[in-house]
Amino acid sequence: MSLHDDAVLVLKGYGHQEELRQVYLDHLDAHPDGMWKACGDGHITASALVIDPERGRVLLTLHRKLRMWLQMGGHCEPSDATLADAALREGTEESGVAGLTLLPGGPVRLDRHHTPCAWHLDVQYAALAPSGAVESISDESLDLRWFAYDEVAGVADASVVRLVEAARARL
C-alpha cells in the first residue's frame, strides 16, 4: 500500500472535523502527488505532539523558520510507510526523545495552515514520551522546551492549544 493510499484510509476512518477531513480527501483525489512537498497546491504533512502525561506537560519546538512554538512535524518522506510512521519519525527527529509511542486511536486533529512553501494539510498525532525522557534539540529548532498544559496558551497559537486539548481528552 502506498503512503497516499494509507492517508486516504486514515482520513476516511477519522470521525471528526468532517468538512476539513473532506478537504483533505478531495485534495488527495485531485493530486496523486498530494503527499509530497513538491505538490505546489499543498500537501499532507504529519505531526506529533510529544506529551508527558505523568508530569502534565508537552514538548514544543521553537521552529527555526516560522519562529513559533509548535508541535514536532513536517513533510512526509518516501521512506514513510504510513502517516503514523511519518508523525513518529518527525516527533523523534525533532525532539531527540527515544522511545516515543503514538497515542492509540489514530490522528488527534487535523489542521490546515499556510506556510512559506505551500498549504500544509497537517494530520496531527500525539506521541507519549517514556518516563525520564530526555530531549535533544535538532537543527530545525531554535529552542526545545517542556511546557505545563496550562502554559501552552501563553506561548503557542490557537492551533497548538486545540491540539493539546484534543490529546488530553484522548488520554
Side-chain angles (χ1 to χ4, degrees), residues 41-153:
D41 287 336
H43 36 270
I44 302 291
T45 56
S47 65
L49 176 70
V50 176
I51 189 165
D52 177 357
E54 287 179 17
R55 293 186 171 162
R57 61 187 189 161
V58 296
L59 184 63
L60 299 178
T61 179
L62 184 56
H63 194 278
R64 182 173 294 283
K65 291 180 183 172
L66 300 177
R67 300 196 182 270
M68 296 171 62
W69 286 103
L70 300 169
Q71 74 277 9
M72 317 304 150
H75 297 107
C76 296
E77 296 183 359
S79 60
D80 298 323
T82 65
L83 269 179
D85 289 348
L88 192 57
R89 176 186 51 75
E90 285 286 339
T92 301
E93 286 176 0
E94 293 185 10
S95 73
V97 175
L100 293 176
T101 56
L102 293 182
L103 195 61
V108 175
R109 280 194 55 79
L110 304 177
D111 186 72
R112 181 177 183 258
H113 50 271
H114 197 265
T115 71
C117 77
W119 280 100
H120 279 186
L121 288 76
D122 197 29
V123 180
Q124 302 177 324
Y125 291 80
L128 298 173
S131 185
V134 177
E135 70 278 7
S136 175
I137 195 166
S138 78
D139 60 359
E140 294 184 32
S141 299
L142 292 172
D143 197 1
L144 192 63
R145 194 177 309 161
W146 290 101
F147 292 95
Y149 298 145
D150 62 0
E151 293 176 327
V152 173

Side-chain angles (χ1 to χ4, degrees), residues 30-42:
H31 298 90
D33 64 342
M35 297 300 301
W36 312 116
K37 185 177 180 179
C39 183
D41 287 336

Side-chain angles (χ1 to χ4, degrees), residues 20-33:
L20 187 56
R21 181 178 70 101
Q22 193 57 53
V23 168
Y24 283 40
L25 289 167
D26 292 346
H27 176 79
L28 288 172
D29 188 48
H31 298 90
D33 64 342

